[in-house]
Amino acid sequence: MYTYEELKKFVEHCSRCPLARTRRNAVMGRGNLKSDLMFVAEAPGSSEDRDGIPFTGPSGQVFDQLLGGIGMSRQDIYLTNILKCHPPGNRDPLPEEQAACIDYLKYETLLIRPKIIVCLGRIAARRIISEDYRITKEHGTFLYRKNTWLTAVYHPSAILRDPLKMQEAEEDFAKIWKRYREG
Ligand code: URA
């Protein structure tokens, strides 16, 4: 078992896939290491690549708004990505990049031991919940597996592209809050 600081060092020095050559900063997850609530998004965007911190760009503002809507902030949750490095041009993570990176997420999950894992968007939901997950149809539903509740919501950048999705996302966050309170 690794500590957070050890894992962060591994991530920052990682060269398991070619993204190591194009990244500016690897982006380790961050937040409350004791939280029951872990959010997993897709991969760092260009702002995150610059800052080395998850969700510092425009989608981060949407994420903070959704969290704030249930009375929470980043200090209350743990936030990470499937990929720790930015795919050039913001393309979808390749299967081999995900395979190279997934151990870091496994170790983060062992460290945090969340009661609820929330996938932000299709890529995370397909990696974590099921490979044929349909985000439009299945977002906001819960599945119990290995002592953990799993759910998915729209990715904040999908909400930026289509603001009509905001209301559904707020409803999904309300369900997450309810499940979190129920323990
Ligand atoms: N999009 C993601 O999936 N993750 C981030 O950290 C930022 C944007």
Side-chain angles (χ1 to χ4, degrees):
M1 203 35 223
Y2 297 109
T3 65
Y4 175 79
E5 290 305 328
E6 284 168 337
L7 270 182
K8 189 164 185 280
K9 274 213 179 76
F10 289 144
V11 165
E12 286 169 356
H13 294 100
C14 182
S15 56
R16 285 181 161 201
C17 85
L19 294 180
R21 294 201 291 270
T22 52
R23 72 171 179 234
R24 280 183 285 178
N25 287 292
V27 181
M28 176 65 182
R30 59 157 61 194
N32 186 332
L33 305 184
K34 294 194 160 68
S35 182
D36 286 341
L37 199 49
M38 177 160 114
F39 288 84
V40 184
E42 183 177 322
S46 51
S47 313
E48 294 75 23
D49 183 48
R50 182 194 61 219
D51 301 334
I53 296 172
F55 276 120
T56 52
S59 19
Q61 290 176 13
V62 175
F63 180 67
D64 289 338
Q65 195 181 329
L66 286 163
L67 266 187
I70 55 168
M72 293 185 121
S73 74
R74 297 216 195 176
Q75 280 113 55
D76 301 311
I77 58 111
Y78 187 81
L79 172 62
T80 192
N81 283 296
I82 299 279
L83 287 197
K84 305 310 191 232
C85 294
H86 173 55
N90 255 352
R91 60 162 171 72
D92 284 354
L94 302 174
E96 55 270 31
E97 291 163 351
Q98 296 188 39
C101 215
I102 203 70
D103 281 351
Y104 296 125
L105 180 65
K106 288 187 181 149
Y107 282 117
E108 286 175 291
T109 310
L110 286 172
L111 191 67
I112 310 296
R113 292 189 292 121
K115 292 199 178 120
I116 307 172
I117 296 177
V118 182
C119 302
L120 294 169
R122 173 182 58 92
I123 298 280
R126 291 202 166 172
R127 185 76 214 189
I128 293 171
I129 302 178
S130 73
E131 61 187 28
D132 56 358
Y133 196 89
R134 284 156 306 165
I135 191 81
T136 319
K137 214 168 160 210
E138 297 178 74
H139 69 90
T141 59
F142 284 80
L143 181 86
Y144 196 64
R145 190 195 290 159
K146 293 193 200 158
N147 284 325
T148 312
W149 285 104
L150 306 177
T151 189
V153 300
Y154 286 126
H155 192 286
S157 65
I159 300 171
L160 279 175
R161 283 193 301 273
D162 175 10
L164 290 176
K165 289 194 163 75
M166 189 63 176
Q167 192 186 336
E168 285 174 89
E170 285 169 348
E171 287 163 11
D172 291 346
F173 268 67
K175 287 184 207 158
I176 293 163
W177 171 244
K178 194 161 172 272
R179 184 72 71 191
Y180 174 80
R181 289 293 304 271
E182 283 163 4

